[in-house]
Amino acid sequence: MKIQKLLLLVTLVGVCLLLLTLQTRGYGAAARDALTMVTAPVQTGLARASRATFGLWSTYLDWKNVRAENHRLREEVQQLRVRALRVDDTDVENQRLRRLLGLQEKLPLTTLSGEIIGREWGGWIRSLTVNRGRGDNIPRLSAVISPDGLVGRIVDVRPGASIVQVLTDPASTVGAVVLRTRTPGIVEGDPRGTLRFKFMARDGASIQSGDVLVTAGQGGLFPRGIPIGTVRTIDNRGSALFHFADLAPAVDYARVDEVLLVTGDTQRDLTAFFPAGG
Amino acid sequence: MRGLLVLTVAGGSVAHATLTPLVSVRDVTPDLPLIMVVLLALRRGPEFGCLAGFVTGLLQDAAGGGLIGVQALTKAIIGFGIGVAGERLRVSQPLVQVPGLVVLTILEGLARFALLQIFRFPAPFGELMIYVVLPQAVFNGFVGAAVVLSLAASQVVRERFAGLPS
């Protein structure tokens, strides 16, 4: 038994040595070819299987990387969007301030710029809070304007802030004229948040939709010629003494951010200084 | 069972040439056929170890493209030697088998180098030992440990299931 084992070992060692000797003498090609015929197909199959497996794995890794990258890029896009919005916002604010400054410079009035810091937008009261108050010597009932037209008037002056009654406030009334026909009337605030022009039927016979209304400037509070709104529809009440017209306000009160407070002389005609009024 | 063993030996040695590059660490690959030959020889005795070593070595030589017969010879001797040692010494403990694998890898490297010298095949000894044989021996130790432990675990599970009443 022991000899058999040794014989096996010696035989195999002998075969190996023979193979090695043959190869070093240049006769090993046939043996190598024969072995390759056996091993090559198995290797091919295994290589394909491993490639498929690792291909799947690398596809998974790629997918994972793409997912992570996608997440990162989404965050980056989000940040860039926020930054772009900030830039847009700054740009819009810049334009608004330029317009306001331009108006302030060209108006023949003493004005003070102010920033809207609060809004009361319920149906009962429609007012804005502006960051100019008693310390700025703001007189009560000062006119408040924007580059688009009249916003309202100061109704309460407090330390550091003032309350502006907006034209759409139900308690607000302003003397106005139709720019084209010079028809006089009163612009009132409406509880629905709109403006209406109340005028005598006899005087307003020729008022049309699209007519521009400006301040009349007769009460001494508002300078003359500040745009208030545009006639949208006319409510013809037949033989009634007064007729009404719905107005589209010249100013978007909900979005106005900067205003001018007229603090000095108000006896001037400003029609030429507002493009909407001309 | 014998067919499965033949398939394991033959397939494993060819798989070595194809698949081990994929599990290489810094260009060092484990010698899976050597691990397989050692473990088989310990369980099946010197004849099987010798034959398995010869076949795996031969196929490794053919797949690797070197001198055919070098690894067949070294692995056949190792398979035989380990088979004999397994019969006479207590080598069933993982603490013996794993360092044994490291030592055997180094011995196989030395034997291979000696054969290459005899057959006038150029091979620098120092670089081969430092960059190929010794790292491979360490790698074989780790892989061998994993294989031995998983075999032991599977043995425990098998025994537990065998003990259950049917």
Side-chain angles (χ1 to χ4, degrees):
Chain A
M1 189 67 179
K2 206 173 180 181
I3 294 168
Q4 270 184 347
K5 287 177 190 173
L6 276 172
L7 200 65
L8 176 71
L9 178 66
V10 170
T11 309
L12 292 179
V13 169
V15 170
C16 290
L17 290 174
L18 184 69
L19 275 169
L20 287 166
T21 312
L22 286 171
Q23 281 173 92
T24 49
R25 294 188 181 180
Y27 301 109
R32 194 177 293 140
D33 290 351
L35 274 170
T36 307
M37 277 174 69
V38 177
T39 56
V42 184
Q43 275 186 299
T44 308
L46 281 168
R48 278 186 192 155
S50 70
R51 217 172 292 140
T53 310
F54 281 85
L56 214 68
W57 176 247
S58 65
T59 305
Y60 166 72
L61 285 180
D62 284 350
W63 172 78
K64 215 173 153 189
N65 288 340
V66 165
R67 209 176 148 192
E69 197 177 348
N70 190 22
H71 187 70
R72 190 180 57 74
L73 287 173
R74 270 172 197 267
E75 278 181 0
E76 203 176 314
V77 166
Q78 201 67 25
Q79 283 172 0
L80 288 173
R81 268 191 196 147
V82 170
R83 204 177 295 168
L85 279 174
R86 266 190 216 140
V87 170
D88 285 352
D89 200 38
T90 310
D91 195 36
V92 169
E93 190 183 4
N94 194 12
Q95 282 177 17
R96 272 200 327 261
L97 290 172
R98 273 174 192 276
R99 281 187 72 202
L100 195 76
L101 188 66
L103 180 70
Q104 191 176 24
E105 280 175 354
K106 71 184 179 186
L107 281 180
L109 298 171
T110 311
T111 57
L112 192 67
S113 63
E115 193 182 335
I116 302 300
I117 55 171
R119 289 169 213 274
E120 175 60 50
W121 224 243
W124 300 96
I125 297 170
R126 290 179 187 272
S127 66
L128 304 171
T129 307
V130 67
N131 69 340
R132 296 287 187 182
R134 211 166 285 158
D136 299 298
N137 295 319
I138 306 292
R140 198 172 164 273
L141 301 179
S142 295
V144 179
I145 58 175
S146 83
D148 294 319
L150 185 67
V151 176
R153 79 192 87 190
I154 300 285
V155 288
D156 194 4
V157 183
R158 297 170 181 174
S162 300
I163 306 299
V164 181
Q165 183 190 52
V166 178
L167 293 186
T168 49
D169 185 279
S172 164
T173 52
V174 180
V177 291
V178 178
L179 195 63
R180 187 176 58 84
T181 60
R182 307 309 298 176
T183 305
I186 296 169
V187 172
E188 299 172 333
D190 190 275
R192 293 170 298 172
T194 56
L195 294 175
R196 67 174 187 171
F197 180 50
K198 184 180 176 184
F199 58 95
M200 286 181 78
R202 190 186 53 190
D203 298 335
S206 58
I207 291 179
Q208 295 168 1
S209 172
D211 275 344
V212 174
L213 273 85
V214 295
T215 47
Q218 286 178 346
L221 286 178
F222 299 113
R224 195 173 169 184
I226 305 171
I228 294 174
T230 312
V231 174
R232 203 154 37 192
T233 54
I234 297 159
D235 180 12
N236 191 334
R237 300 202 170 180
S239 58
L241 182 59
F242 290 104
H243 286 191
F244 293 88
D246 272 334
L247 303 183
V251 179
D252 185 353
Y253 308 113
R255 298 177 69 178
V256 67
D257 285 324
E258 295 89 15
V259 291
L260 289 179
L261 284 70
V262 181
T263 54
D265 176 30
T266 57
Q267 305 299 313
R268 302 291 295 265
D269 189 343
L270 305 179
T271 311
F273 299 98
F274 289 92
Chain B
M1 185 67 182
R2 191 159 287 185
L4 190 70
L5 278 171
V6 171
L7 202 70
T8 309
V9 171
S13 53
V14 179
H16 171 78
T18 313
L19 303 179
T20 43
L22 299 171
V23 292
S24 67
V25 178
R26 298 177 81 98
D27 279 346
V28 180
T29 57
D31 192 347
L32 296 176
L34 180 71
I35 298 166
M36 190 173 64
V37 166
V38 169
L39 296 176
L40 283 172
L42 282 172
R43 280 161 180 75
R44 301 230 152 216
E47 295 107 315
F48 193 90
C50 187
L51 264 172
F54 176 74
V55 175
T56 55
L58 204 63
L59 291 169
Q60 256 185 291
D61 286 333
L67 271 177
I68 291 174
V70 175
Q71 292 191 77
L73 181 58
T74 54
K75 286 197 168 68
I77 294 171
I78 282 173
F80 185 84
I82 290 296
V84 172
E87 284 174 348
R88 299 187 178 180
L89 306 168
R90 289 174 63 87
V91 288
S92 57
Q93 289 297 314
L95 284 174
V96 179
Q97 289 179 358
V98 174
L101 256 174
V102 177
V103 174
L104 281 170
T105 310
I106 296 168
L107 286 176
E108 204 244 349
L110 288 170
R112 215 196 288 191
F113 177 77
L115 274 172
L116 291 174
Q117 290 299 304
I118 290 167
F119 291 98
R120 292 172 192 162
F121 206 80
F125 177 74
E127 287 176 11
L128 264 177
M129 290 306 286
I130 292 168
Y131 297 113
V132 180
V133 178
L134 289 175
Q136 192 175 57
V138 176
F139 207 157
N140 278 355
F142 280 111
V143 176
V147 174
V148 166
L149 287 174
S150 46
L151 283 174
S154 70
Q155 182 71 24
V156 169
V157 172
R158 224 181 305 157
E159 281 169 8
R160 195 168 289 171
F161 276 103
L164 284 174
S166 55

